[in-house]
Amino acid sequence: MVQHFDVLIIGSGLAGQSAALRLADTHKVGLISKRSLEDSASAWAQGGIAAVLDSQDSIEAHIRDTFEAGGHLNGAKATRYVVENGRRAIDWLIEQGVPFTKDEKGYHLTREGGHSTRRVIHVADATGLAVQDTLTRKVRQHPNITVLEQHIAIDLITGAKLGLPEQRCYGAYALDTRSGEVSTIGAQATMIATGGAGKVYLYTTNPDTSTGDGIAMAWRAGCRVANMEFIQFHPTCLYHPQAKSFLISEAVRGEGGILRLPDGTRFMPDHDPRAELAPRDVVARAIDFEMKKRGLDCVFLDISHKPKEFLLEHFPNIHARCLELGIDISKDPIPVVPAAHYTCGGIITDLKARTDIAGLYAAGEASCSGLHGANRLASNSLLECVVFSEAAVADIKAQPKVAIPALPQWDESRVSDPDEEIVISHNWDELRRFMWDYVGIVRTTKRLQRAQHRIRLLMREINEFYTHFRVSHDLIELRNLVVTADLIVRCALKRKESRGLHFSRDYPGLLPKPRNTILRKSRRP
């Protein structure tokens, strides 16, 4: 099956949906969603969106906080661009109908770790879900947007793949996971908005869809990738056998939550003068240190000193979910552990969200715009999605039309049905476990080398499987995860210092000048 659109968007989170809505009045848009439109990491974002909205705040203060959190590895132009466009991004979301929480002054702004003031606009404690629900309703209703749900992109179609001299993207191959049919999808412009790669780790706050697909596809197509060593571990994921991937928002600490040991002792002031309001990397390492030092399964986040009415107003979803599990946050401390949360590196993009390949754009967590540096400042992620999706749309609209060459259909003539699916599940489990053990919050060169050795063995096995058998949803994700794991480890081995989210026992100090870790590969089909 061959389909054609003006623009193909791979990924249906905030970056993808906002780009689709901005394009749809003038362009025919195809929007690929691995599951339903409602399933994305954006919908899981609890805290809010950081922007300069208060007269007591300033652009310079937000930039300064972003640089401080990011280990001063942030791109100066990208950071200023995003922060300066923050208010416009929020105004656009308000125009779409996002019901941000209000107070007597207007919109309620909360404060999160790493921010010097209150600047996080939110919808109670489920901002991402409210934003996603608002946009999803509009996307489903728009006649110019074709939503391809239950589809997973396999690979980009590029000039190199077609034997053409120009390095341009012409669309992608995508598997309909319900029918098993692979579609050839042609487009004038293609945008990757597939999110991050949290599922490369055993414990993550991300949904099951976060398997590094866009990053892996762009890398295979010849794009540069940067700063993949900077994986943000959220300090406070709910620790409970029935609470898969449930995040306890940064805002709980922003509103006075205290981290305690099982005996009630507060420990963050011993690690950083900012205590619970230190950036995420500092808090995650402190928790990791205390757990390993004392042999703990978890630590506790205590907000029980706040009035119950306050907790119900600010954290209704966290309160309800914890109560389902027998934890009353108005009386009991919340058991928490760090978990893989955000991929700060990704596909290198410019200020127009363009990648190294003509006609290919990337926005959101799959990209490396320069905003996050060595550690993302809380609530800058949704802001980046909106700002750079708008930038991509402006550039796409300004481009002249190009002739799309004849695109070959997916060739399954030399493959068969897989004989043993257990190979996929076993490799998936092995990869996530050794990434957690060897490439986690605290790293050593020896651990990274062990991980790299295992990754290379897995890559050979997975590539052989991919070559001989029909593609499936799980195989595509596993193939992408192992590529993403390889990029993380290669970047980590190249960084001979400890900066931001990358902490190495072998290189505990900072190098005098911050440098990006950039990976390049030879471009080939």
Side-chain angles (χ1 to χ4, degrees):
M1 181 178 176
V2 180
Q3 301 180 71
H4 285 277
F5 300 100
D6 295 323
V7 183
L8 174 64
I9 299 173
I10 306 172
S12 58
L14 178 54
Q17 289 203 33
S18 57
L21 287 170
R22 289 180 187 274
L23 283 163
D25 289 339
T26 53
H27 290 66
K28 186 182 174 189
V29 179
L31 182 64
I32 291 179
S33 180
K34 279 170 75 171
R35 296 195 175 177
S36 73
L37 274 186
E38 289 77 12
D39 285 315
S40 76
S42 297
W44 290 38
Q46 292 179 354
I49 307 175
V52 178
L53 304 169
D54 189 277
S55 59
Q56 304 301 308
D57 198 4
S58 71
I59 297 292
E60 298 308 320
H62 191 175
I63 290 172
R64 188 166 58 247
D65 291 346
T66 301
F67 265 78
E68 183 68 26
H72 297 274
L73 191 67
N74 318 68
K77 289 181 180 177
T79 304
R80 181 167 292 278
Y81 180 76
V82 172
V83 172
E84 287 182 345
N85 283 282
R87 179 178 281 275
R88 195 159 90 248
I90 298 301
D91 288 343
W92 183 81
L93 289 171
I94 291 170
E95 285 170 21
Q96 305 313 302
V98 176
F100 289 112
T101 298
K102 294 186 176 182
D103 61 14
E104 64 280 357
K105 297 178 184 176
Y107 288 105
H108 180 266
L109 302 177
T110 191
R111 183 180 175 188
E112 296 182 352
H115 289 276
S116 56
T117 188
R118 289 178 175 266
R119 67 164 67 94
V120 180
I121 191 169
H122 61 101
V123 184
D125 61 346
T127 306
L129 184 61
V131 171
Q132 196 77 350
D133 283 350
T134 302
L135 299 191
T136 295
R137 283 194 296 273
K138 294 200 157 203
V139 166
R140 288 200 185 281
Q141 292 165 2
H142 206 293
N144 265 2
I145 301 174
T146 300
V147 180
L148 300 169
E149 291 178 294
Q150 310 300 330
H151 279 65
I152 179 170
I154 303 169
D155 261 326
L156 300 170
I157 304 171
T158 62
K161 270 188 186 295
L162 302 175
L164 301 174
E166 186 184 9
Q167 182 62 351
R168 170 175 281 277
C169 184
Y170 295 106
Y173 293 110
L175 172 72
D176 183 335
T177 55
R178 296 160 299 189
S179 68
E181 183 180 3
V182 176
S183 293
T184 303
I185 306 175
Q188 295 278 321
T190 301
M191 179 175 166
I192 290 174
T194 51
K199 294 298 286 188
V200 81
Y201 286 98
L202 187 60
Y203 301 111
T204 177
T205 64
N206 292 179
D208 291 341
T209 52
S210 298
T211 51
D213 301 332
I215 297 169
M217 283 191 296
W219 172 254
R220 286 193 295 266
C223 290
R224 289 172 302 154
V225 166
N227 295 348
M228 289 295 292
E229 69 271 38
F230 298 121
I231 301 294
Q232 187 175 80
F233 289 83
H234 197 287
T236 53
C237 185
L238 180 61
Y239 179 75
H240 191 283
Q242 294 168 253
K244 181 185 176 186
S245 305
F246 189 77
L247 179 69
I248 303 300
S249 169
E250 191 93 12
V252 174
R253 285 183 286 121
E255 294 293 345
I258 294 169
L259 283 163
R260 302 186 188 277
L261 298 173
D263 65 1
T265 305
R266 187 182 185 188
F267 60 86
M268 273 311 301
D270 296 335
H271 292 268
D272 192 281
R274 293 165 290 187
E276 281 79 10
L277 289 176
R280 289 176 177 176
D281 59 320
V282 176
V283 180
R285 274 199 302 275
I287 294 172
D288 185 67
F289 175 86
E290 296 292 345
M291 286 172 59
K292 285 176 177 168
K293 178 183 176 183
R294 303 170 194 280
L296 304 175
D297 291 327
C298 65
V299 295
F300 293 87
L301 180 58
D302 187 6
I303 189 85
S304 61
H305 51 280
K306 289 282 188 177
K308 187 169 185 177
E309 297 73 26
F310 176 91
L311 299 177
L312 288 171
E313 180 187 354
H314 286 80
F315 308 114
N317 292 287
I318 293 173
H319 180 273
R321 181 65 179 130
C322 287
L323 207 56
E324 285 174 9
L325 300 169
I327 304 162
D328 183 348
I329 69 170
S330 67
K331 300 175 183 175
D332 310 316
I334 308 165
V336 294
V337 291
H341 182 60
Y342 193 86
T343 309
C344 287
I347 308 157
I348 292 179
T349 59
D350 64 11
L351 295 187
K352 295 180 178 179
R354 297 179 297 199
T355 71
D356 294 331
I357 298 176
L360 181 65
Y361 299 79
E365 195 174 350
S367 71
C368 184
S369 67
L371 171 65
H372 304 308
N375 181 17
R376 176 176 69 87
L377 180 65
S379 290
N380 270 355
S381 53
L382 296 183
L383 180 65
E384 181 188 37
C385 288
V386 181
V387 170
F388 276 106
S389 65
E390 182 189 21
V393 166
D395 196 70
I396 289 167
K397 288 183 174 181
Q399 296 302 313
K401 282 206 166 189
V402 296
I404 303 290
L407 304 179
Q409 295 207 34
W410 186 254
D411 182 9
E412 287 191 330
S413 61
R414 288 168 291 185
V415 298
S416 60
D417 290 322
D419 51 0
E420 290 190 342
E421 295 281 357
I422 189 65
V423 173
I424 296 174
S425 59
H426 176 83
N427 287 352
W428 181 294
D429 187 58
E430 182 185 347
L431 175 68
R432 296 179 68 208
R433 283 185 182 279
F434 72 63
M435 285 296 289
W436 182 262
D437 291 339
Y438 298 151
V439 198
I441 295 171
V442 176
R443 299 162 179 173
T444 67
T445 302
K446 197 172 206 177
R447 289 179 191 170
L448 293 173
Q449 288 169 340
R450 281 178 180 151
Q452 188 172 60
H453 174 69
R454 283 162 173 76
I455 285 168
R456 286 174 178 167
L457 293 173
L458 279 181
M459 282 184 109
R460 285 200 291 271
E461 197 167 299
I462 293 163
N463 286 336
E464 183 183 352
F465 202 87
Y466 178 81
T467 303
H468 290 96
F469 299 110
R470 283 192 176 87
V471 292
S472 66
H473 185 281
D474 288 348
L475 177 56
I476 294 165
E477 287 190 330
L478 178 61
R479 180 179 179 235
N480 291 331
L481 275 175
V482 77
V483 169
T484 308
D486 181 54
L487 295 172
I488 292 169
V489 172
R490 286 169 64 179
C491 283
L493 282 167
K494 287 184 76 161
R495 186 162 293 279
K496 309 297 185 186
E497 63 168 350
S498 289
R499 184 181 297 274
L501 299 164
H502 175 74
F503 186 83
S504 170
R505 282 188 182 156
D506 297 314
Y507 302 99
L510 275 174
L511 290 174
K513 187 176 180 183
R515 291 183 182 275
N516 292 311
T517 309
I518 297 174
L519 300 180
R520 297 173 174 85
K521 66 175 289 188
S522 59
R523 289 176 179 165
R524 58 179 183 269

